[in-house]
Amino acid sequence: NEGANVVISPVAKEKWVKLAEAQQTKIANVLEEKVKKQQALVELGRASKGGKVEKMSTHAHAPVFDKEDENSEPQLPSRFCPGELIVSAKNSSGCLSTLLTKAFKGSEKRRVKQFVGKKAEVVADKLMDNSFAVMEGFILPPKVVELRSEIDGLQPHFTPSEIWVGKGADVGAQISVPDVRGDKVLWMCGGHKEVDSTLFDSAGVQPKGRGAIEPCEMSVKVALGKSKVGAGGVRKIAASVMGKFGALKQVLESLDKFVFGELTKKDPRLARIASRSDAMLAVYPGGGSRFQKHVDNTANDGRRLTVLLYLNLEGWTEEKGGFLRVWGKDSAKVGPTDVMPLGGRVAMFYSDEVAHEVTAAHDKRYAMTVWYYDGVERNEAVLSAKRLETGDEKGDMEAQAEASAFIKQTLAGEAGEGDLTGKSASAEELRRIGVLASKLSPKAVKMVAGICGAPSEEYFLEAANQLTPESLAELRVGLAKMG
């Protein structure tokens, strides 16, 4: 009203400024994102709907490991996540996951919308203040049990996870190194708001049904239910397999609604999020299995937000370990923060900023991870990957397999497992590595030389045949820490 004195508190003013900045950022980037996407479509030869969809390498999901600096100051000890950093995700009407996917009417609908909006605002504030956030009770114990029943039937099909060892996204090898990363994983495809797999780095064949969730690997789908070969030799999966993952579908839908529908409007860093990865189910078998300190995205692959949902049953204790240890914005002052993997709890952090690790787990530890992609950065990554192609897809894949096998055998000690300690090698082991190097194809030699940092292929081959126990130990330690 004219002449009225309006007083706005500093806190309210700051919140309004954050919201206004987020909206301005989103609007300002809409045109840029559309232009980038069109450029990607043109360069990929997909301007028409019938165009070919190019498959991106799933190594983009592998992390870059933190390299310890011998001259850096000693790190502060970790602390358990304090209560003020944990956001409760439930009220008398239910948990956030249920509230986001259940249909409400009238005044109850308005109350639920208000509750969800307020929780999202608090989570966004935690992300902006600390670079990570934790939500307690995103799903309730009965839903955890339901999800675990779906996952338990998949356990025989989990495979050892791999890390990307190399100098960058174009030169490297996918290998399994249990001492660095000890979990087993299974990718679940589907549930995306857009089916364009270049937007989210598809981990396999996407299901055809809208919102459908199923294992990405055809061999897993075949093992789960009866299948038959249809016209043109295409294998069709029984409908019973498609309907086995209702709980997982509902949880992914609720996470998407929370991130796409709420967080992108409240955190400027998330304003350009346009797609989500497939879901990665992971189980650490216990026995001290861990995942060493790393950052998910340092190659500008598009991932902006990492979201984890823990699926451990009630009774997880401190003695079982398996904490998510995160280095937030204030870690230099208070040390890293340990988050217990309690069932139903969600942890999220900026994929391109936050270093984190999984501490040694002494019992089976279950979790699901998804990554949300910045649309502009993702399109740039697609374009960059396209430019790196040589035109010989089969030859590139074969060379990649050769390079991976060589690196794996170089890392392996005489016991056949990852040797990350730098122990001395025998003369026979040194000779074996030289022989393996001489048998590599020219393309594989180029890849491995790039991974090892050799100035040329010739230099690498000569060095491989002149290894000493000390130089091999140094190489192994370097490869294990390489991202």
Side-chain angles (χ1 to χ4, degrees):
N1 294 332
E2 185 177 354
N5 293 320
V6 179
V7 179
I8 302 176
S9 70
V11 174
K13 182 177 179 181
E14 184 180 358
K15 289 182 181 288
W16 278 109
V17 169
K18 285 181 180 179
L19 286 173
E21 289 177 345
Q23 284 296 100
Q24 288 175 350
T25 301
K26 195 162 189 174
I27 293 172
N29 288 317
V30 166
L31 290 177
E32 180 187 359
E33 185 171 346
K34 287 185 176 180
V35 169
K36 293 285 187 183
K37 187 170 183 178
Q38 288 301 316
Q39 289 176 341
L41 293 176
V42 170
E43 291 206 25
L44 288 169
R46 298 173 56 254
S48 65
K49 289 184 178 180
K52 179 183 177 183
V53 177
E54 298 289 344
K55 178 172 174 57
M56 291 283 291
S57 169
T58 55
H59 77 245
H61 287 298
V64 170
F65 293 96
D66 182 69
K67 297 177 178 61
E68 299 293 342
D69 184 354
E70 294 179 356
N71 298 318
S72 63
E73 295 182 2
Q75 293 184 355
L76 294 172
S78 63
R79 57 167 184 168
F80 278 109
C81 190
E84 62 267 21
L85 294 183
I86 301 175
V87 181
S88 175
K90 53 189 176 182
N91 66 5
S92 58
S93 298
C95 63
L96 262 181
S97 181
T98 299
L99 298 178
L100 285 161
T101 53
K102 185 178 177 181
F104 295 94
K105 295 181 180 180
S107 59
E108 188 176 16
K109 181 178 180 179
R110 290 191 293 272
R111 285 196 300 271
V112 168
K113 184 177 181 181
Q114 185 180 36
F115 174 78
V116 171
K118 285 184 177 179
K119 290 299 177 182
E121 188 174 326
V122 175
V123 170
D125 285 342
K126 301 292 185 189
L127 279 169
M128 289 184 282
D129 293 342
N130 307 305
S131 296
F132 72 92
V134 179
M135 286 191 289
E136 192 73 71
F138 186 81
I139 61 174
L140 299 178
K143 182 64 69 174
V144 175
V145 173
E146 188 179 354
L147 275 165
R148 279 289 297 275
S149 68
E150 292 181 356
I151 293 172
D152 286 345
L154 296 169
Q155 282 205 48
H157 308 289
F158 278 60
T159 58
S161 58
E162 294 183 327
I163 62 171
W164 178 251
V165 175
K167 293 292 184 181
D170 56 329
V171 180
Q174 287 268 106
I175 61 173
S176 176
V177 187
D179 286 350
V180 174
R181 180 176 182 179
D183 58 333
K184 293 184 177 182
V185 302
L186 180 73
W187 289 90
M188 298 295 288
C189 284
H192 302 282
K193 65 175 186 174
E194 293 185 64
V195 186
D196 184 352
S197 63
T198 62
L199 295 178
F200 53 81
D201 193 7
S202 177
V205 179
Q206 295 296 313
K208 294 182 179 180
R210 181 174 176 80
I213 305 292
E214 61 185 49
C216 296
E217 289 291 331
M218 178 62 72
S219 60
V220 178
K221 287 183 276 194
V222 171
L224 288 176
K226 294 181 179 179
S227 62
K228 60 181 181 179
V229 178
V234 177
R235 186 176 287 276
K236 295 184 178 181
I237 305 303
S240 59
V241 176
M242 306 283 282
K244 285 186 175 183
F245 308 105
L248 183 58
K249 176 181 177 180
Q250 185 261 323
V251 169
L252 283 172
E253 180 185 350
S254 62
L255 283 173
D256 285 349
K257 286 185 176 181
F258 190 70
V259 175
F260 290 125
E262 299 291 339
L263 291 184
T264 57
K265 301 173 184 177
K266 296 173 173 63
D267 183 349
R269 284 215 64 199
L270 308 180
R272 301 192 313 200
I273 280 181
S275 57
R276 167 182 57 76
S277 73
D278 291 316
M280 186 186 76
L281 304 178
V283 56
Y284 287 79
S289 52
R290 60 186 289 265
F291 195 169
Q292 78 173 39
K293 183 181 177 184
H294 64 280
V295 176
D296 283 350
N297 173 21
T298 62
N300 299 319
D301 60 32
R303 285 176 295 166
R304 183 66 69 243
L305 184 69
T306 302
V307 178
L308 301 109
L309 172 64
Y310 295 110
L311 302 173
N312 300 302
L313 302 179
E314 292 182 285
W316 193 272
T317 61
E318 180 180 342
E319 290 72 27
K320 293 183 179 181
F323 309 130
L324 170 69
R325 180 167 292 166
V326 291
W327 279 260
K329 285 184 178 179
D330 61 350
S331 61
K333 296 180 180 178
V334 300
T337 300
D338 286 349
V339 179
M340 284 188 71
L342 301 181
R345 176 178 277 185
V346 163
M348 59 179 68
F349 49 84
Y350 296 134
S351 308
D352 57 342
E353 179 179 313
V354 176
H356 57 286
E357 70 174 293
V358 176
T359 66
H362 304 292
D363 199 352
K364 280 192 173 182
R365 176 192 187 273
Y366 294 82
M368 180 186 76
T369 307
V370 290
W371 290 268
Y372 288 87
Y373 288 90
D374 178 287
V376 174
E377 185 179 295
R378 178 61 185 168
N379 283 321
E380 290 176 344
V382 171
L383 286 173
S384 178
K386 178 64 178 177
R387 295 187 189 105
L388 290 171
E389 290 182 0
T390 65
D392 180 12
E393 184 176 353
K394 182 179 180 182
D396 290 344
M397 290 178 64
E398 290 175 348
Q400 184 71 62
E402 276 190 87
S404 296
F406 178 82
I407 293 296
K408 190 171 185 178
Q409 292 181 67
T410 301
L411 274 178
E414 291 179 310
E417 297 181 354
D419 177 9
L420 309 182
T421 62
K423 294 178 181 177
S424 295
S426 66
E428 175 58 27
E429 191 171 1
L430 296 174
R431 189 194 67 79
R432 177 179 61 85
I433 291 173
V435 171
L436 289 173
S438 66
K439 292 181 178 180
L440 291 172
S441 68
K443 278 188 176 182
V445 169
K446 185 175 182 179
M447 287 184 178
V448 177
I451 294 170
C452 297
S456 68
E457 293 93 302
E458 293 77 13
Y459 182 96
F460 161 73
L461 289 172
E462 183 177 353
N465 282 280
Q466 296 179 6
L467 281 172
T468 65
E470 293 74 23
S471 62
L472 177 57
E474 184 179 349
L475 177 62
R476 282 176 171 166
V477 173
L479 286 172
K481 291 183 176 293
M482 189 180 295

